[in-house]
Amino acid sequence: MRRVTALALALQMTASIAQPAAPATDAAAYARRDADWRNGAIVYQVLVDRFAPAADLAAKRHLYPPPKVLRRWDEPARRGTDSAELRLNTQELDFWGGDLASLSGKLDHVRALGVDVLYLNPIHLAYTNHKYDALDFQQVSPEFGTRDDFRRLAQQAHAMGLKVVLDGVFNHMGRNAPVFQQALADPASPYRHWFAIGPQYAGGARSWTGFQNLPELNLEHPPVRHYLWQAPDSVLRSWLRDGADGWRLDTSYELGPAYLQDLGRAAQAEKPGALIVGEMVNYPGAWMQSIDAVMNFSLRHIILDAADGRIGPAMANRMTARLLHDAGIEPMLKSWMVIDNHDIPRIATLLPDVAQRRWVQALQFTLPGAPNIYYGAELGMTGGGDPENRGPMQWERLRDDNPDLQWMRQLIALRKQHRALRVGDYRAVEAERLIAFERHTDRALETVVVLANPSTAPVTERVMVANPWLMDDMPMIDLLRPLAGDNTPDTAPRFGAGFLTVTVPPRSVRVLQPRQRDLGGYDRYKRGP
């Protein structure tokens, strides 16, 4: 079985895994990082059906025949009931009518936020609203438009400076897929070995985690890999030619390291610099030798566990440092820093306390990685587990006085303005009661020191910042305060031989950066090694 094979391949690789690459030390290395769009990018995730209503819904109604339901845009997403006949839940057949053309009309909002990457949940031909049950990977679902519509969207996004990443569901298809139906009905079908078919499986075929509507693809069968990524006209390569800049791989750990490496080589052959990012709920570690980046759920757990007190700050510091050491800084800079998405509750529901929520988001934007904004998070949209977290975009919240939007704009501006937060290395700051770290480059004055207090009381702590290029008695500025209109320079004690004594208010984050001091014509500020 494929999962056993993938595990065996992973175990075989551990003996030969290289050590993580050492941090960059010279200007050229940081310049290379800065030139790579994948490093530290701000990612915006969209469900096409739920992002913007189509211009003429009446003309599209025929695309939603019963038992599909076309909802009003102001209707929330609600839980359905399981249907034995359909082998799915009725909530999977609720649609709101968004499409690629209506998404194109809202790209100005995405770009105005300061986003770098537009990530689309699956758009290929499928029966359900979520499109994880592919009928044909090479077609766009008609509810969303056509492949030409995608080409136009990609061209428009590129003209605005946006990259586009698609969702690759390469571990299963939909039960209604013609290739599966043919394989199920005819033992002589050329597609018979694309799936694991037999009476030992419920529904007649091995299905993904038991969902009979999602028969698993047999990746050990060479024609399947040829179709998905190896051939010049494969799914992966043809969409890259049509304008995609990368792929997010659904449950990527199920492909195993050898297949991930093979897939990555195919992507680079088609489009050098393409991104392959995996939905990886495993600890990243050695997997990073097989893939460009992951959705960093491990770092998400550290942040959220620290936010609610399940782990202390000192433990969180050690865990973060270990994670980044084991995975390596280069792939971690490309990895998506996910707090909420279509599978987990929205952050405003998960963390209803505003101070706690902003604390988590501040770390999301200052730790190494690419912050992932789930559509509507910038507006404070709420929603529990699937499908409540997949409600239609609430455009009425898009107002300049929306505090969630103001905060998101501040965080994005912080990220854009400071190179160390985008491509800098990570080093833990020695602290016990604060989550504390620095991001640094080859330029000493670009250093950013982040001090986060998850508790409900102020914390005053003397911490050690082990950066040899920060001079004694350097003044500091809190970068979050200037964004709010306060440009007072001395908002933190000055350095003293690598030490700072700092006070951090309850559930708040200080983002400190050194400022060059006028020494009467003498410049002692070393740029670095």
Side-chain angles (χ1 to χ4, degrees):
M1 292 178 65
R2 176 158 56 81
R3 289 196 182 92
V4 175
T5 303
L7 177 59
L9 287 168
L11 293 173
Q12 291 168 11
M13 286 189 64
T14 56
S16 60
I17 291 300
Q19 291 299 313
T25 57
D26 59 72
Y30 289 104
R32 284 193 297 271
R33 283 185 188 174
D34 216 8
D36 188 337
W37 67 270
R38 301 171 296 180
N39 288 325
I42 296 172
V43 182
Y44 192 87
Q45 178 185 355
V46 165
L47 291 173
V48 173
D49 178 62
R50 316 292 167 89
F51 189 60
D56 187 358
L57 275 177
K60 292 181 60 180
R61 287 195 177 275
H62 68 283
L63 298 175
Y64 309 94
K68 295 181 180 181
V69 178
L70 183 60
R71 301 289 183 183
R72 297 190 319 273
W73 198 260
D74 60 354
E75 285 187 83
R78 294 188 176 92
R79 298 184 185 277
T81 57
D82 290 333
S83 168
E85 178 185 359
L86 297 171
R87 301 177 194 259
L88 46 72
N89 189 288
T90 57
Q91 71 195 33
E92 299 176 64
L93 302 180
D94 286 340
F95 291 81
W96 273 259
D99 53 33
L100 293 171
S102 63
L103 167 58
S104 294
K106 293 294 187 179
L107 283 187
D108 285 344
H109 167 70
V110 177
R111 189 55 185 155
L113 278 177
V115 167
D116 304 300
V117 178
L118 177 68
Y119 156 47
L120 306 182
N121 280 96
I123 62 172
H124 42 243
L125 179 61
Y127 183 65
T128 64
N129 52 37
H130 52 71
K131 307 304 178 190
Y132 283 95
D133 57 327
L135 306 182
D136 185 341
F137 288 114
Q138 294 285 23
Q139 294 187 55
V140 171
S141 247
E143 306 97 329
F144 296 169
T146 66
R147 194 139 174 176
D148 280 340
D149 289 325
F150 171 74
R151 294 185 185 101
R152 283 189 286 269
L153 173 70
Q155 290 171 358
Q156 180 185 354
H158 292 158
M160 300 172 74
L162 292 166
K163 301 293 186 180
V164 179
V165 172
L166 294 179
D167 208 330
V169 191
F170 296 161
N171 39 43
H172 57 259
M173 294 187 73
R175 189 174 186 87
N176 294 322
V179 293
F180 176 72
Q181 287 297 321
Q182 185 184 133
L184 196 63
D186 181 6
S189 166
Y191 300 110
R192 183 74 172 190
H193 296 295
W194 281 42
F195 307 91
I197 293 173
Q200 69 272 36
Y201 302 112
R206 188 176 67 201
S207 58
W208 185 77
T209 65
F211 291 99
Q212 290 186 30
N213 190 43
L214 304 176
E216 279 198 335
L217 283 162
N218 178 18
L219 295 180
E220 278 74 31
H221 187 48
V224 174
R225 302 195 301 276
H226 189 80
Y227 165 74
L228 289 174
W229 68 77
Q230 290 177 341
D233 60 349
S234 65
V235 174
L236 179 135
R237 296 186 64 165
S238 64
W239 284 97
L240 289 175
R241 282 198 299 278
D242 277 0
D245 299 288
W247 287 88
R248 174 263 192 193
L249 301 182
D250 189 56
T251 58
S252 59
Y253 52 92
E254 293 188 350
L255 276 67
Y259 291 163
L260 287 175
Q261 288 176 342
D262 189 40
L263 185 151
R265 286 190 292 267
Q268 294 306 313
E270 184 61 47
K271 180 173 283 189
L275 173 67
I276 301 298
V277 58
E279 184 191 29
M280 187 72 67
V281 293
N282 306 54
Y283 181 75
W287 284 95
M288 306 314 299
Q289 307 299 320
S290 307
I291 196 168
D292 296 328
V294 298
M295 299 175 72
N296 203 341
F297 289 106
S298 295
L299 194 52
R300 175 183 183 269
H301 278 296
I302 294 172
I303 294 174
L304 293 179
D305 285 356
D308 68 8
R310 280 179 285 183
I311 59 174
M315 176 64 79
N317 289 334
R318 292 195 296 273
M319 287 178 171
T320 302
R322 173 65 185 271
L323 172 68
L324 291 165
H325 172 270
D326 290 350
I329 187 65
E330 297 290 345
M332 285 290 96
L333 290 173
K334 299 173 181 63
S335 292
W336 292 359
M337 188 58 243
V338 177
I339 297 298
D340 56 353
N341 69 8
H342 61 290
D343 287 326
I344 46 186
R346 287 184 172 274
I347 187 172
T349 296
L350 187 67
L351 300 172
D353 181 272
V354 173
Q356 191 178 42
R357 181 163 74 246
R358 291 187 176 180
W359 186 90
V360 166
Q361 289 174 316
L363 290 179
Q364 181 186 24
F365 276 79
T366 53
L367 282 162
N372 191 114
I373 303 169
Y374 185 40
Y375 77 97
E378 76 275 22
L379 305 180
M381 280 180 59
T382 58
D386 177 18
E388 294 168 8
N389 53 1
R390 304 183 185 189
M393 180 72 162
Q394 296 174 358
W395 290 105
E396 68 275 11
R397 291 174 175 258
L398 182 58
R399 305 182 310 271
D400 286 338
D401 62 351
N402 182 327
D404 292 288
L405 180 59
Q406 292 172 347
W407 176 242
M408 185 64 73
R409 286 172 172 168
Q410 286 186 352
L411 291 177
I412 293 173
L414 178 73
R415 185 90 176 188
K416 292 286 187 181
Q417 293 166 13
H418 297 282
R419 187 172 76 134
L421 293 178
R422 298 192 308 274
V423 299
D425 287 302
Y426 166 95
R427 180 161 45 215
V429 168
E430 298 297 332
E432 287 291 328
R433 292 180 292 153
L434 298 170
I435 292 180
F437 57 92
E438 62 169 311
R439 304 291 308 282
H440 60 92
T441 69
D442 57 306
R443 304 168 189 167
L445 292 174
E446 287 186 343
T447 301
V448 173
V449 178
V450 180
L451 304 156
N453 174 14
S455 73
T456 56
V459 168
T460 299
E461 187 167 12
R462 188 159 175 77
V463 302
M464 186 175 77
V465 181
N467 187 327
W469 310 113
L470 297 181
M471 301 299 178
D472 188 35
D473 202 33
M474 289 183 94
M476 304 289 284
I477 187 169
D478 192 328
L479 297 176
L480 284 179
R481 296 185 69 179
L483 289 172
D486 181 355
N487 292 305
T488 306
D490 288 320
T491 61
R494 302 182 179 211
F495 271 92
F499 284 84
L500 281 174
T501 300
V502 351
T503 298
V504 183
R507 283 187 176 165
S508 65
V509 179
R510 304 194 73 178
V511 182
L512 306 180
Q513 188 172 60
R515 285 291 182 265
Q516 186 161 345
R517 187 159 57 93
D518 184 2
L519 297 172
Y522 170 65
D523 185 354
R524 63 176 181 164
Y525 294 99
K526 190 174 174 68
R527 292 173 65 87

